[in-house]
Each structure stands twice: as structure tokens, then as C-alpha cells.
């Protein structure tokens, strides 16, 4: 298990509310679109990060984490496992407090690097499933 209940609760309730969602585009058929909608309903600011840099759910998009001109608290990763480690490293460089790898996104080396850098991390879980469980 990559992310215990206490870490999940901390990321969802105690850290800041600005979430960069890597892989979020205006494609309504992608999981990132629906998850971002749920996060917004629970009071999170969702910042789309995608090469297209589209505005999604009313928020300006950016082509990369480095392009975001303000701090982000959590980086939510919707890219495949082969690319996810690079995104985790970018999250560390950006100064994020936590990284969240979505369902089926697993990179154990990235987990170790990110945790060693002092960030909280959850892997292979979905915040849209977890946040309603918090009550």
C-alpha cells in the first residue's frame, strides 16, 4: 500500500487547496476531467497541466508544472507509470508538499525519491474516491 489512511487524510484535509492536475485536458472522456470536477466540489483549486495548456473547469491551464506562476500544494498525476517519475521530480523542484499518483500509476523509485525529499505521497489511489470517505 502506497499511502496510509493518515497520509491520505493529511493530503486531502490539512495541506493547501491548490492542486496541479498533470494530464488534465478538456477531454470529458478522460478520468482526469471527472476527478478534477470532484476535487473542485470539495473546495480544491484545480490547475490543469497538459501540453495543450487548455482552460478546464474555469482554470487556466499550463504546459508544465514549471510554467505555473504560483505555488501548488499537491501534484495529482494522470500520466502513465513510465512518465510519472519525471513528474514527481518536477513536483519536488516546484516545491509542492505532496504528490498523488492516480489508480494504476506506480513507480517505486519515484516513491522513494519523493518521500526522501520530504513530500507526502500516495500512489495507485484516487482522491475522488478517497475524499468523500473522509466524511
Amino acid at each position: 500500500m502506497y499511502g496510509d489512511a493518515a497520509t491520505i487524510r493529511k493530503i486531502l484535509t490539512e495541506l493547501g487547496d491548490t492542486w496541479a492536475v498533470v494530464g488534465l485536458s478538456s477531454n470529458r472522456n478522460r478520468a482526469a476531467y471527472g476527478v478534477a470536477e470532484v476535487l473542485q466540489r470539495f473546495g480544491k483549486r484545480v490547475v490543469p497541466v497538459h501540453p495543450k495548456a487548455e482552460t478546464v473547469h474555469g482554470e487556466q491551464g499550463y504546459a508544465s508544472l514549471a510554467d505555473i506562476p504560483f505555488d501548488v500544494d499537491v501534484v495529482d498525476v494522470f500520466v502513465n507509470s513510465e512518465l510519472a517519475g519525471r513528474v514527481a521530480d518536477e513536483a519536488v523542484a516546484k516545491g509542492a508538499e505532496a504528490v498523488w499518483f492516480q489508480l494504476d500509476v506506480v513507480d517505486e523509485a519515484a516513491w522513494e525519491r519523493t518521500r526522501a525529499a520530504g513530500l507526502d505521497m500516495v500512489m495507485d489511489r484516487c482522491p475522488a474516491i478517497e475524499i468523500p470517505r473522509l466524511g
Side-chain angles (χ1 to χ4, degrees):
M1 180 65 76
Y2 299 102
D4 58 42
T7 301
I8 289 169
R9 178 173 290 282
K10 179 181 178 185
I11 292 171
L12 292 172
T13 65
E14 296 175 27
L15 299 184
D17 289 331
T18 301
W19 285 53
V21 181
V22 179
L24 175 57
S25 71
S26 62
N27 184 343
R28 294 172 182 264
N29 296 321
R30 303 291 299 190
Y33 190 89
V35 170
E37 227 170 17
V38 171
L39 289 170
Q40 279 188 324
R41 279 201 310 269
F42 280 88
K44 308 300 183 192
R45 178 182 183 191
V46 172
V47 181
V49 180
H50 189 279
K52 295 180 182 179
E54 300 173 298
T55 296
V56 183
H57 298 309
E59 287 285 346
Q60 166 66 48
Y62 298 90
S64 72
L65 286 174
D67 291 341
I68 300 173
F70 48 84
D71 292 339
V72 297
D73 303 305
V74 181
V75 176
D76 190 5
V77 182
F78 277 94
V79 300
N80 65 45
S81 296
E82 292 75 34
L83 301 174
R86 181 179 54 81
V87 176
D89 295 339
E90 292 170 4
V92 171
K94 178 71 179 162
E97 294 182 61
V99 175
W100 191 299
F101 280 8
Q102 283 294 322
L103 291 171
D104 299 322
V105 179
V106 176
D107 181 331
E108 292 183 8
W111 167 269
E112 295 297 332
R113 289 192 311 273
T114 303
R115 304 269 300 156
L119 281 70
D120 288 308
M121 187 165 179
V122 172
M123 233 174 14
D124 193 24
R125 302 291 283 270
C126 180
I129 294 169
E130 301 298 334
I131 200 166
R133 293 179 178 169
L134 298 177

